[in-house]
Amino acid sequence: MKLSDIENLEIDLLLEAIFLRYGYDFRSYARGSIRRRILQFMQMTGVGSVSETIPKIIHDESFFQQMAREFSITVTEMFRDPQMFLALRREIVPLLKSYPYIKVWHAGCATGEEAYSLAILIEEEKLAERTTFFATDFNDNALEKAKEGIFSLDYVQQYSQNYQQAGGKISLSDYYHANYGAMAIKSALKKKITFANHNLVIDQVFTETHLILCRNVMIYFNKELQERVVGLFHESLVYGGFLCLGTKESLLFSKYQNKFREIDTKNKIYQKIA
Amino acid sequence: MDNRTYKAIAIGGSAGSMDVLLRLFACLPKKFSLPIIVVCHLHPCDEGGLIEVFTRHAPLIVKEVADKELIQAGHIYFPPANYHLLVERDRTFALSIDAKVNYSRPSIDVFFESAAAVWGDELIGIILTGANKDGAAGIQVIKKHGGLTIAQDPREAAYPAMVQAAIDTGDVDQILCTEEICKFLQMLPVSCTGHVIEE
Ligand SMILES: C[S@@+](CC[C@H](N)C(=O)[O-])C[C@H]1O[C@@H](n2cnc3c(N)ncnc32)[C@H](O)[C@@H]1O
């Protein structure tokens, strides 16, 4: 057996153990990223091999928690890919305006920066009154941070610039209070979003949704899991509803490809047509 | 020349690597039967301009990687700016927006390590000029999995730091100048399993 085969065997066993012991299923995640995180975690904790981590994971829950934190990468930004938000404003908002009631689902919202970006856009486009906005993730720590809405000021310049490029109508600073080196999202905006735990691997559909944003989440899934999740989105959307993926993601390799129309190729905005 | 068959070529480059890559691509035969995957540190906002430049100079199909895309022989792939590139066991690409590694995204280490885990001893890793140390750890992993490791000759490299870091690991099999890398690529045995996809 090759070295890589042995290592894969070990990783299979570890992921199986995590699933059976704690119910978290990473078996259908993209192997490259998972492997990297396991190796990083081993380096951090000084465990010599993947196999050696298995008994520790099984018997020591805090050890697992530590690893789970390492597994969940929640890097995000406000108005990442401003062009996509601009396209939402220009191409999708006019279409959404025809609905008396709008349901938005932001899946994989991490610590909330992107969800607040979308909430700002909805506010500025005067859709807030009729919009219900759910933002979900399976990482409770990230969700807590999202609910707090307090972010480091380190990136504020980048965020403001993104906001302007995304067609922002006033100034990003109108949406937060700055204090103690942090930006605190104003409560009026926070109230517009319901943050909730939802695991894309096991949980069910959101019915009658008009707009779904799920960006840079499925890149971490393997093909099978991606298909499940796209299926979930397809079922959740109303006929004519919209799906926004990350700029480098696509439905190109999905069997659901024919059930969507590509509205904006560059910004990966799709519309359900079947 | 050994007569092992290889399944993929992974190239890492940074400052100064543009010229080297252009020379390497120009010397490739039209029916090159391996996929070539190049991770080089680009400007984070590059909108694919480089792909155009390389397309004009390479006899093969030059592509920016799409997530979950199947890796095909006879193609030269680049990751999109601002994403890490990884390989899956089913020979598809995966992207990631994980934090930068070695101040870089894409990082050569991230790619080399994942490629080594998939292709093992059927992988060739080539490290080119650059002003940092990205790729050195990746070269070690490729070697550990039995792959072949090549570094551009530091005397020829516009910025020798990156190749030197790789060489200093002790895991580089061959140190070659651009001319010699060209010859090496031209002489690679055509693997019978590597399928050339006709467009
Ligand atoms: C890299 S972040 C992307 C954040 C944001 N959408 C963006 O693009 O900036 C990926 C997020 O997906 C979440 N995620 C991963 N697996 C998940 C699952 N099975 N169910 C729900 N969320 C998941 C992670 O917790 C993380 O917050």
Side-chain angles (χ1 to χ4, degrees), chain A residues 2-4 7-8 12 29-33 35-37 73 75 80 216 218-223 226 247-249 253 266, chain B residues 47 64 66-69 80 83 86-89 92 94-99 101 110 113-114 116-117 119 121-122 141 144-145:
Chain A
K2 283 189 195 174
L3 187 60
S4 52
E7 192 185 74
N8 266 315
D12 283 339
Y29 277 54
R31 183 50 66 95
S33 287
R35 177 178 166 275
R36 202 179 149 71
R37 289 173 199 174
I73 301 292
V75 272
R80 180 202 297 280
N216 305 310
M218 288 191 284
I219 50 178
Y220 294 104
F221 297 168
N222 72 12
K223 271 202 178 127
Q226 170 180 294
T247 320
K248 300 301 169 188
E249 297 173 303
F253 311 108
K266 196 157 170 290
Chain B
E47 289 285 331
E64 182 183 277
D67 187 56
K68 313 258 183 285
E69 176 170 5
Y83 288 80
L86 301 102
V87 186
E88 292 294 291
R89 286 174 293 175
T92 57
L95 300 175
S96 122
I97 57 165
D98 285 13
V101 174
V110 169
E113 286 168 20
S114 92
W119 281 299
D121 60 0
E122 295 172 323
V141 180
K144 191 175 113 191
H145 283 271

Short mmCIF file of all heavy atoms in Angstrom, two decimals, chain A residues 2-4 7-8 12 29-33 35-37 73 75 80 216 218-223 226 247-249 253 266, chain B residues 47 64 66-69 80 83 86-89 92 94-99 101 110 113-114 116-117 119 121-122 141 144-145:
data_model
loop_
_atom_site.label_atom_id
_atom_site.label_comp_id
_atom_site.label_asym_id
_atom_site.label_seq_id
_atom_site.Cartn_x
_atom_site.Cartn_y
_atom_site.Cartn_z
N LYS A 2 0.45 2.23 -0.76
CA LYS A 2 1.21 3.47 -0.81
C LYS A 2 1.01 4.27 0.48
O LYS A 2 -0.02 4.14 1.14
CB LYS A 2 0.70 4.33 -1.96
CG LYS A 2 1.18 3.91 -3.31
CD LYS A 2 0.76 4.99 -4.28
CE LYS A 2 0.86 4.53 -5.71
NZ LYS A 2 0.32 5.54 -6.61
N LEU A 3 1.97 5.14 0.74
CA LEU A 3 1.89 6.02 1.91
C LEU A 3 0.58 6.79 1.94
O LEU A 3 -0.10 6.89 2.97
CB LEU A 3 3.07 7.00 1.83
CG LEU A 3 3.31 7.92 3.01
CD1 LEU A 3 3.57 7.09 4.25
CD2 LEU A 3 4.48 8.84 2.72
N SER A 4 0.20 7.32 0.77
CA SER A 4 -1.02 8.14 0.72
C SER A 4 -2.26 7.28 0.98
O SER A 4 -3.24 7.74 1.56
CB SER A 4 -1.14 8.86 -0.61
OG SER A 4 -1.00 7.94 -1.66
N GLU A 7 -2.43 6.73 4.69
CA GLU A 7 -2.89 7.95 5.35
C GLU A 7 -4.40 8.15 5.14
O GLU A 7 -5.13 8.52 6.07
CB GLU A 7 -2.13 9.13 4.77
CG GLU A 7 -2.30 10.40 5.57
CD GLU A 7 -1.61 11.55 4.88
OE1 GLU A 7 -2.14 12.03 3.85
OE2 GLU A 7 -0.55 11.94 5.35
N ASN A 8 -4.87 7.85 3.93
CA ASN A 8 -6.29 7.98 3.67
C ASN A 8 -7.12 7.03 4.50
O ASN A 8 -8.21 7.35 4.96
CB ASN A 8 -6.58 7.77 2.19
CG ASN A 8 -6.60 9.09 1.46
OD1 ASN A 8 -7.20 10.05 1.94
ND2 ASN A 8 -5.93 9.15 0.33
N ASP A 12 -9.98 8.08 6.99
CA ASP A 12 -11.33 7.48 6.92
C ASP A 12 -11.76 7.02 8.31
O ASP A 12 -12.89 7.26 8.74
CB ASP A 12 -11.32 6.27 5.97
CG ASP A 12 -11.34 6.69 4.51
OD1 ASP A 12 -11.74 7.84 4.23
OD2 ASP A 12 -10.95 5.88 3.65
N TYR A 29 -16.70 15.65 3.06
CA TYR A 29 -16.04 16.93 2.79
C TYR A 29 -14.88 16.70 1.82
O TYR A 29 -14.37 15.59 1.71
CB TYR A 29 -15.51 17.53 4.10
CG TYR A 29 -16.58 18.29 4.87
CD1 TYR A 29 -17.78 17.68 5.20
CD2 TYR A 29 -16.39 19.62 5.23
CE1 TYR A 29 -18.77 18.38 5.88
CE2 TYR A 29 -17.37 20.32 5.92
CZ TYR A 29 -18.56 19.69 6.25
OH TYR A 29 -19.52 20.38 6.92
N ALA A 30 -14.48 17.76 1.14
CA ALA A 30 -13.34 17.67 0.24
C ALA A 30 -12.14 17.20 1.05
O ALA A 30 -11.80 17.79 2.07
CB ALA A 30 -13.07 19.02 -0.41
N ARG A 31 -11.52 16.13 0.60
CA ARG A 31 -10.50 15.47 1.40
C ARG A 31 -9.26 16.34 1.61
O ARG A 31 -8.64 16.35 2.67
CB ARG A 31 -10.14 14.12 0.76
CG ARG A 31 -9.15 13.27 1.51
CD ARG A 31 -9.46 13.07 2.97
NE ARG A 31 -10.65 12.31 3.30
CZ ARG A 31 -10.66 11.01 3.56
NH1 ARG A 31 -9.56 10.31 3.49
NH2 ARG A 31 -11.77 10.42 3.88
N GLY A 32 -8.88 17.09 0.56
CA GLY A 32 -7.66 17.89 0.63
C GLY A 32 -7.65 18.85 1.81
O GLY A 32 -6.68 18.90 2.57
N SER A 33 -8.74 19.59 1.97
CA SER A 33 -8.81 20.57 3.06
C SER A 33 -8.88 19.89 4.42
O SER A 33 -8.24 20.31 5.37
CB SER A 33 -10.03 21.48 2.90
OG SER A 33 -9.83 22.37 1.85
N ARG A 35 -7.79 16.95 5.24
CA ARG A 35 -6.50 16.35 5.51
C ARG A 35 -5.53 17.40 6.06
O ARG A 35 -4.84 17.18 7.04
CB ARG A 35 -5.96 15.77 4.20
CG ARG A 35 -4.60 15.17 4.31
CD ARG A 35 -4.16 14.58 2.97
NE ARG A 35 -2.75 14.32 3.02
CZ ARG A 35 -1.83 15.25 2.76
NH1 ARG A 35 -2.20 16.45 2.37
NH2 ARG A 35 -0.56 14.96 2.86
N ARG A 36 -5.55 18.55 5.41
CA ARG A 36 -4.67 19.64 5.83
C ARG A 36 -4.96 20.05 7.28
O ARG A 36 -4.06 20.29 8.06
CB ARG A 36 -4.94 20.82 4.90
CG ARG A 36 -3.83 21.76 4.85
CD ARG A 36 -3.96 22.93 3.97
NE ARG A 36 -3.20 23.98 4.62
CZ ARG A 36 -1.89 23.99 4.70
NH1 ARG A 36 -1.19 23.05 4.12
NH2 ARG A 36 -1.27 24.94 5.36
N ARG A 37 -6.24 20.12 7.60
CA ARG A 37 -6.60 20.55 8.95
C ARG A 37 -6.24 19.51 9.99
O ARG A 37 -5.82 19.84 11.09
CB ARG A 37 -8.09 20.86 9.01
CG ARG A 37 -8.37 22.12 8.24
CD ARG A 37 -9.81 22.41 8.11
NE ARG A 37 -9.99 23.35 7.01
CZ ARG A 37 -11.15 23.72 6.54
NH1 ARG A 37 -12.25 23.23 7.09
NH2 ARG A 37 -11.23 24.56 5.56
N ILE A 73 -13.44 26.36 9.30
CA ILE A 73 -12.77 27.58 8.86
C ILE A 73 -13.84 28.60 8.54
O ILE A 73 -14.66 28.39 7.66
CB ILE A 73 -11.91 27.32 7.61
CG1 ILE A 73 -10.87 26.26 7.90
CG2 ILE A 73 -11.29 28.60 7.11
CD1 ILE A 73 -9.79 26.65 8.86
N VAL A 75 -13.40 31.93 7.81
CA VAL A 75 -12.94 33.19 7.20
C VAL A 75 -14.03 33.79 6.33
O VAL A 75 -14.65 33.11 5.53
CB VAL A 75 -11.69 33.01 6.31
CG1 VAL A 75 -10.43 33.13 7.10
CG2 VAL A 75 -11.76 31.70 5.56
N ARG A 80 -17.49 40.73 0.23
CA ARG A 80 -16.49 40.03 -0.57
C ARG A 80 -17.02 39.98 -2.00
O ARG A 80 -18.20 39.74 -2.22
CB ARG A 80 -16.32 38.60 -0.04
CG ARG A 80 -15.30 37.78 -0.82
CD ARG A 80 -15.51 36.30 -0.68
NE ARG A 80 -15.34 35.79 0.67
CZ ARG A 80 -14.18 35.54 1.25
NH1 ARG A 80 -13.08 35.73 0.58
NH2 ARG A 80 -14.11 35.10 2.48
N ASN A 216 -18.82 30.03 -1.07
CA ASN A 216 -17.58 29.48 -0.51
C ASN A 216 -17.83 28.50 0.62
O ASN A 216 -17.07 28.43 1.57
CB ASN A 216 -16.66 30.61 -0.06
CG ASN A 216 -16.38 31.59 -1.18
OD1 ASN A 216 -16.01 31.18 -2.26
ND2 ASN A 216 -16.59 32.87 -0.94
N MET A 218 -19.64 25.26 -0.42
CA MET A 218 -19.61 23.98 -1.13
C MET A 218 -18.23 23.65 -1.72
O MET A 218 -18.00 22.50 -2.09
CB MET A 218 -20.68 23.94 -2.20
CG MET A 218 -22.07 23.81 -1.58
SD MET A 218 -23.35 23.46 -2.77
CE MET A 218 -23.57 25.05 -3.53
N ILE A 219 -17.34 24.62 -1.76
CA ILE A 219 -15.98 24.28 -2.19
C ILE A 219 -15.35 23.31 -1.18
O ILE A 219 -14.42 22.59 -1.51
CB ILE A 219 -15.05 25.51 -2.38
CG1 ILE A 219 -15.07 26.43 -1.16
CG2 ILE A 219 -15.38 26.27 -3.63
CD1 ILE A 219 -14.12 27.64 -1.29
N TYR A 220 -15.88 23.29 0.03
CA TYR A 220 -15.33 22.39 1.05
C TYR A 220 -16.01 21.03 1.07
O TYR A 220 -15.69 20.19 1.89
CB TYR A 220 -15.43 23.05 2.44
CG TYR A 220 -14.56 24.27 2.55
CD1 TYR A 220 -15.09 25.55 2.48
CD2 TYR A 220 -13.17 24.14 2.66
CE1 TYR A 220 -14.27 26.67 2.55
CE2 TYR A 220 -12.35 25.24 2.73
CZ TYR A 220 -12.90 26.51 2.68
OH TYR A 220 -12.09 27.61 2.73
N PHE A 221 -16.97 20.82 0.18
CA PHE A 221 -17.70 19.55 0.13
C PHE A 221 -17.23 18.74 -1.07
O PHE A 221 -16.78 19.30 -2.06
CB PHE A 221 -19.21 19.80 -0.03
CG PHE A 221 -19.84 20.55 1.13
CD1 PHE A 221 -21.13 21.05 1.00
CD2 PHE A 221 -19.18 20.74 2.33
CE1 PHE A 221 -21.75 21.72 2.05
CE2 PHE A 221 -19.78 21.42 3.39
CZ PHE A 221 -21.07 21.92 3.25
N ASN A 222 -17.37 17.41 -0.99
CA ASN A 222 -17.10 16.62 -2.18
C ASN A 222 -18.33 16.67 -3.09
O ASN A 222 -19.35 17.26 -2.75
CB ASN A 222 -16.65 15.20 -1.84
CG ASN A 222 -17.79 14.32 -1.31
OD1 ASN A 222 -18.97 14.69 -1.38
ND2 ASN A 222 -17.43 13.19 -0.76
N LYS A 223 -18.21 16.04 -4.26
CA LYS A 223 -19.27 16.16 -5.27
C LYS A 223 -20.62 15.67 -4.75
O LYS A 223 -21.65 16.28 -5.02
CB LYS A 223 -18.88 15.36 -6.51
CG LYS A 223 -18.10 16.20 -7.48
CD LYS A 223 -18.17 15.61 -8.88
CE LYS A 223 -17.41 16.51 -9.81
NZ LYS A 223 -16.40 15.80 -10.60
N GLN A 226 -22.07 18.08 -2.36
CA GLN A 226 -22.49 19.27 -3.11
C GLN A 226 -23.84 19.01 -3.78
O GLN A 226 -24.74 19.84 -3.73
CB GLN A 226 -21.46 19.65 -4.17
CG GLN A 226 -22.01 20.74 -5.11
CD GLN A 226 -21.05 21.17 -6.21
OE1 GLN A 226 -20.01 21.73 -5.94
NE2 GLN A 226 -21.41 20.89 -7.44
N THR A 247 -17.81 33.17 -6.34
CA THR A 247 -17.40 33.57 -7.69
C THR A 247 -16.71 32.45 -8.46
O THR A 247 -16.73 32.43 -9.69
CB THR A 247 -16.44 34.77 -7.60
OG1 THR A 247 -16.92 35.64 -6.59
CG2 THR A 247 -16.37 35.52 -8.90
N LYS A 248 -16.09 31.53 -7.76
CA LYS A 248 -15.39 30.44 -8.46
C LYS A 248 -16.12 29.12 -8.33
O LYS A 248 -15.58 28.06 -8.60
CB LYS A 248 -13.95 30.33 -7.94
CG LYS A 248 -13.11 31.58 -8.13
CD LYS A 248 -13.00 31.98 -9.60
CE LYS A 248 -12.39 33.37 -9.73
NZ LYS A 248 -12.41 33.88 -11.11
N GLU A 249 -17.35 29.17 -7.88
CA GLU A 249 -18.17 27.96 -7.82
C GLU A 249 -19.11 27.96 -9.02
O GLU A 249 -19.33 29.00 -9.64
CB GLU A 249 -18.99 27.93 -6.52
CG GLU A 249 -18.12 27.89 -5.27
CD GLU A 249 -18.93 28.04 -3.98
OE1 GLU A 249 -19.63 29.04 -3.83
OE2 GLU A 249 -18.83 27.16 -3.14
N PHE A 253 -20.86 21.27 -12.94
CA PHE A 253 -20.61 19.85 -12.77
C PHE A 253 -21.73 19.18 -11.98
O PHE A 253 -21.55 18.14 -11.38
CB PHE A 253 -19.25 19.65 -12.09
CG PHE A 253 -18.17 20.45 -12.74
CD1 PHE A 253 -17.63 21.58 -12.13
CD2 PHE A 253 -17.70 20.10 -14.00
CE1 PHE A 253 -16.66 22.34 -12.75
CE2 PHE A 253 -16.73 20.85 -14.63
CZ PHE A 253 -16.20 21.97 -14.01
N LYS A 266 -20.57 35.63 -14.61
CA LYS A 266 -19.37 36.03 -13.89
C LYS A 266 -19.60 35.99 -12.38
O LYS A 266 -18.74 35.58 -11.62
CB LYS A 266 -18.97 37.44 -14.33
CG LYS A 266 -17.57 37.79 -13.95
CD LYS A 266 -17.02 38.89 -14.84
CE LYS A 266 -15.71 39.38 -14.28
NZ LYS A 266 -15.88 40.13 -13.02
N GLU B 47 -7.58 39.36 -13.11
CA GLU B 47 -8.87 38.94 -13.66
C GLU B 47 -8.68 37.98 -14.83
O GLU B 47 -9.45 37.97 -15.77
CB GLU B 47 -9.67 40.17 -14.09
CG GLU B 47 -10.20 41.00 -12.95
CD GLU B 47 -11.39 40.34 -12.24
OE1 GLU B 47 -12.13 39.59 -12.88
OE2 GLU B 47 -11.55 40.59 -11.03
N GLU B 64 -8.08 28.61 -16.22
CA GLU B 64 -8.20 28.88 -14.80
C GLU B 64 -9.08 27.78 -14.21
O GLU B 64 -10.10 27.42 -14.79
CB GLU B 64 -8.85 30.25 -14.56
CG GLU B 64 -8.96 30.59 -13.09
CD GLU B 64 -9.68 31.92 -12.85
OE1 GLU B 64 -9.03 32.96 -12.93
OE2 GLU B 64 -10.90 31.88 -12.60
N ALA B 66 -11.74 25.66 -12.26
CA ALA B 66 -13.06 25.84 -11.64
C ALA B 66 -13.20 24.78 -10.54
O ALA B 66 -12.67 23.68 -10.67
CB ALA B 66 -14.16 25.66 -12.68
N ASP B 67 -13.87 25.13 -9.47
CA ASP B 67 -14.05 24.18 -8.38
C ASP B 67 -14.73 22.90 -8.89
O ASP B 67 -15.68 22.99 -9.67
CB ASP B 67 -14.90 24.82 -7.27
CG ASP B 67 -14.97 23.95 -6.04
OD1 ASP B 67 -13.90 23.60 -5.50
OD2 ASP B 67 -16.09 23.60 -5.61
N LYS B 68 -14.24 21.75 -8.49
CA LYS B 68 -14.78 20.42 -8.84
C LYS B 68 -14.52 20.02 -10.29
O LYS B 68 -15.09 19.05 -10.80
CB LYS B 68 -16.29 20.30 -8.56
CG LYS B 68 -16.72 20.82 -7.20
CD LYS B 68 -16.99 19.74 -6.20
CE LYS B 68 -17.50 20.30 -4.88
NZ LYS B 68 -16.44 20.95 -4.08
N GLU B 69 -13.66 20.75 -10.96
CA GLU B 69 -13.34 20.43 -12.35
C GLU B 69 -12.44 19.20 -12.42
O GLU B 69 -11.54 19.03 -11.61
CB GLU B 69 -12.61 21.65 -12.96
CG GLU B 69 -12.14 21.43 -14.37
CD GLU B 69 -11.64 22.73 -15.01
OE1 GLU B 69 -11.59 23.77 -14.32
OE2 GLU B 69 -11.30 22.68 -16.20
N PRO B 80 -7.49 30.28 -9.51
CA PRO B 80 -7.91 31.68 -9.53
C PRO B 80 -7.19 32.46 -8.44
O PRO B 80 -6.79 31.88 -7.42
CB PRO B 80 -9.41 31.62 -9.25
CG PRO B 80 -9.68 30.26 -8.72
CD PRO B 80 -8.57 29.37 -9.14
N TYR B 83 -7.48 32.18 -4.11
CA TYR B 83 -7.96 30.88 -3.63
C TYR B 83 -6.80 29.92 -3.51
O TYR B 83 -5.90 29.94 -4.35
CB TYR B 83 -8.96 30.26 -4.62
CG TYR B 83 -10.30 30.94 -4.66
CD1 TYR B 83 -10.48 32.12 -5.37
CD2 TYR B 83 -11.40 30.40 -4.00
CE1 TYR B 83 -11.72 32.74 -5.42
CE2 TYR B 83 -12.64 31.02 -4.03
CZ TYR B 83 -12.79 32.19 -4.74
OH TYR B 83 -14.01 32.80 -4.79
N LEU B 86 -6.40 22.73 -4.29
CA LEU B 86 -6.12 21.39 -3.79
C LEU B 86 -6.64 20.36 -4.78
O LEU B 86 -7.43 20.68 -5.66
CB LEU B 86 -6.79 21.16 -2.42
CG LEU B 86 -6.38 22.11 -1.30
CD1 LEU B 86 -7.43 23.16 -1.06
CD2 LEU B 86 -6.12 21.35 -0.01
N VAL B 87 -6.17 19.11 -4.62
CA VAL B 87 -6.60 18.04 -5.51
C VAL B 87 -7.36 17.00 -4.70
O VAL B 87 -7.01 16.71 -3.56
CB VAL B 87 -5.38 17.35 -6.16
CG1 VAL B 87 -5.85 16.33 -7.19
CG2 VAL B 87 -4.46 18.35 -6.79
N GLU B 88 -8.41 16.46 -5.29
CA GLU B 88 -9.17 15.39 -4.64
C GLU B 88 -8.77 14.03 -5.22
O GLU B 88 -8.20 13.95 -6.30
CB GLU B 88 -10.66 15.63 -4.87
CG GLU B 88 -11.19 16.85 -4.13
CD GLU B 88 -11.12 16.68 -2.62
OE1 GLU B 88 -11.87 15.85 -2.08
OE2 GLU B 88 -10.30 17.37 -1.98
N ARG B 89 -9.14 12.99 -4.49
CA ARG B 89 -8.74 11.65 -4.93
C ARG B 89 -9.37 11.24 -6.25
O ARG B 89 -8.84 10.40 -6.96
CB ARG B 89 -9.08 10.62 -3.84
CG ARG B 89 -8.12 10.72 -2.67
CD ARG B 89 -8.56 9.81 -1.56
NE ARG B 89 -9.82 10.29 -0.98
CZ ARG B 89 -10.51 9.65 -0.04
NH1 ARG B 89 -10.07 8.49 0.40
NH2 ARG B 89 -11.62 10.16 0.44
N THR B 92 -10.20 15.54 -9.26
CA THR B 92 -10.84 16.82 -9.51
C THR B 92 -10.15 17.87 -8.66
O THR B 92 -9.47 17.54 -7.68
CB THR B 92 -12.35 16.80 -9.16
OG1 THR B 92 -12.50 16.42 -7.79
CG2 THR B 92 -13.11 15.82 -10.03
N ALA B 94 -10.19 21.14 -6.05
CA ALA B 94 -11.01 21.79 -5.03
C ALA B 94 -10.34 23.11 -4.68
O ALA B 94 -9.12 23.20 -4.63
CB ALA B 94 -11.13 20.91 -3.80
N LEU B 95 -11.15 24.12 -4.49
CA LEU B 95 -10.62 25.43 -4.09
C LEU B 95 -10.89 25.65 -2.61
O LEU B 95 -11.74 24.98 -2.02
CB LEU B 95 -11.30 26.54 -4.89
CG LEU B 95 -11.13 26.48 -6.40
CD1 LEU B 95 -11.96 27.56 -7.08
CD2 LEU B 95 -9.66 26.63 -6.78
N SER B 96 -10.18 26.56 -2.01
CA SER B 96 -10.46 26.90 -0.61
C SER B 96 -10.09 28.35 -0.36
O SER B 96 -9.20 28.90 -1.01
CB SER B 96 -9.69 25.96 0.32
OG SER B 96 -8.85 26.68 1.20
N ILE B 97 -10.83 28.99 0.57
CA ILE B 97 -10.48 30.36 0.93
C ILE B 97 -9.91 30.40 2.35
O ILE B 97 -9.99 31.41 3.03
CB ILE B 97 -11.68 31.34 0.81
CG1 ILE B 97 -12.86 30.88 1.67
CG2 ILE B 97 -12.11 31.52 -0.62
CD1 ILE B 97 -13.91 31.98 1.87
N ASP B 98 -9.33 29.30 2.79
CA ASP B 98 -8.64 29.27 4.08
C ASP B 98 -7.61 30.39 4.13
O ASP B 98 -7.19 30.93 3.11
CB ASP B 98 -7.92 27.93 4.26
CG ASP B 98 -8.90 26.82 4.58
OD1 ASP B 98 -10.12 27.04 4.42
OD2 ASP B 98 -8.46 25.74 4.99
N ALA B 99 -7.18 30.70 5.36
CA ALA B 99 -6.21 31.78 5.56
C ALA B 99 -4.97 31.58 4.69
O ALA B 99 -4.66 30.46 4.27
CB ALA B 99 -5.82 31.83 7.03
N VAL B 101 -1.21 31.05 3.55
CA VAL B 101 -0.11 30.24 4.06
C VAL B 101 1.16 30.82 3.45
O VAL B 101 1.20 31.10 2.26
CB VAL B 101 -0.29 28.76 3.65
CG1 VAL B 101 0.92 27.94 4.05
CG2 VAL B 101 -1.56 28.19 4.27
N VAL B 110 0.45 24.41 0.02
CA VAL B 110 -0.89 23.80 0.13
C VAL B 110 -1.14 22.91 -1.08
O VAL B 110 -1.59 21.77 -0.96
CB VAL B 110 -1.98 24.89 0.24
CG1 VAL B 110 -3.37 24.29 0.08
CG2 VAL B 110 -1.87 25.63 1.57
N GLU B 113 1.32 19.74 -1.26
CA GLU B 113 0.99 18.72 -0.26
C GLU B 113 -0.23 17.91 -0.67
O GLU B 113 -0.24 16.69 -0.52
CB GLU B 113 0.78 19.38 1.11
CG GLU B 113 2.10 19.82 1.73
CD GLU B 113 1.92 20.74 2.93
OE1 GLU B 113 0.82 20.75 3.52
OE2 GLU B 113 2.88 21.45 3.27
N SER B 114 -1.23 18.58 -1.18
CA SER B 114 -2.43 17.83 -1.55
C SER B 114 -2.18 17.01 -2.81
O SER B 114 -2.68 15.90 -2.95
CB SER B 114 -3.64 18.77 -1.68
OG SER B 114 -3.78 19.21 -3.00
N ALA B 116 0.67 15.68 -3.68
CA ALA B 116 1.51 14.54 -3.29
C ALA B 116 0.65 13.43 -2.70
O ALA B 116 0.87 12.24 -2.95
CB ALA B 116 2.57 14.99 -2.28
N ALA B 117 -0.35 13.82 -1.91
CA ALA B 117 -1.21 12.82 -1.28
C ALA B 117 -2.06 12.08 -2.30
O ALA B 117 -2.47 10.95 -2.08
CB ALA B 117 -2.10 13.49 -0.23
N TRP B 119 -1.24 11.91 -5.97
CA TRP B 119 -0.46 11.26 -7.03
C TRP B 119 0.75 10.48 -6.53
O TRP B 119 1.35 9.72 -7.29
CB TRP B 119 -0.03 12.31 -8.07
CG TRP B 119 -1.11 12.68 -9.02
CD1 TRP B 119 -1.75 11.84 -9.89
CD2 TRP B 119 -1.69 13.98 -9.23
NE1 TRP B 119 -2.69 12.53 -10.62
CE2 TRP B 119 -2.67 13.85 -10.24
CE3 TRP B 119 -1.48 15.23 -8.66
CZ2 TRP B 119 -3.44 14.92 -10.70
CZ3 TRP B 119 -2.24 16.29 -9.12
CH2 TRP B 119 -3.20 16.14 -10.12
N ASP B 121 4.00 8.74 -5.93
CA ASP B 121 5.25 8.68 -6.69
C ASP B 121 5.04 8.95 -8.18
O ASP B 121 5.98 8.83 -8.98
CB ASP B 121 5.95 7.34 -6.46
CG ASP B 121 5.09 6.17 -6.90
OD1 ASP B 121 3.96 6.40 -7.38
OD2 ASP B 121 5.54 5.02 -6.75
N GLU B 122 3.83 9.29 -8.57
CA GLU B 122 3.59 9.61 -9.98
C GLU B 122 3.53 11.10 -10.22
O GLU B 122 3.02 11.56 -11.24
CB GLU B 122 2.28 8.94 -10.43
CG GLU B 122 2.39 7.42 -10.39
CD GLU B 122 1.05 6.75 -10.64
OE1 GLU B 122 0.02 7.26 -10.18
OE2 GLU B 122 1.05 5.70 -11.30
N VAL B 141 7.17 17.10 1.08
CA VAL B 141 6.06 16.14 1.10
C VAL B 141 6.02 15.33 -0.20
O VAL B 141 5.80 14.12 -0.19
CB VAL B 141 4.71 16.85 1.35
CG1 VAL B 141 3.57 15.85 1.36
CG2 VAL B 141 4.75 17.62 2.67
N LYS B 144 8.59 12.78 0.14
CA LYS B 144 8.19 11.76 1.10
C LYS B 144 7.25 10.73 0.47
O LYS B 144 7.29 9.55 0.79
CB LYS B 144 7.51 12.44 2.30
CG LYS B 144 7.29 11.52 3.50
CD LYS B 144 6.72 12.29 4.67
CE LYS B 144 5.30 11.84 4.95
NZ LYS B 144 4.59 12.70 5.90
N HIS B 145 6.44 11.20 -0.45
CA HIS B 145 5.50 10.29 -1.11
C HIS B 145 6.12 9.63 -2.34
O HIS B 145 5.42 8.97 -3.10
CB HIS B 145 4.22 11.04 -1.50
CG HIS B 145 3.31 11.29 -0.35
ND1 HIS B 145 2.34 10.42 0.05
CD2 HIS B 145 3.24 12.31 0.54
CE1 HIS B 145 1.69 10.89 1.11
NE2 HIS B 145 2.23 12.05 1.42
#
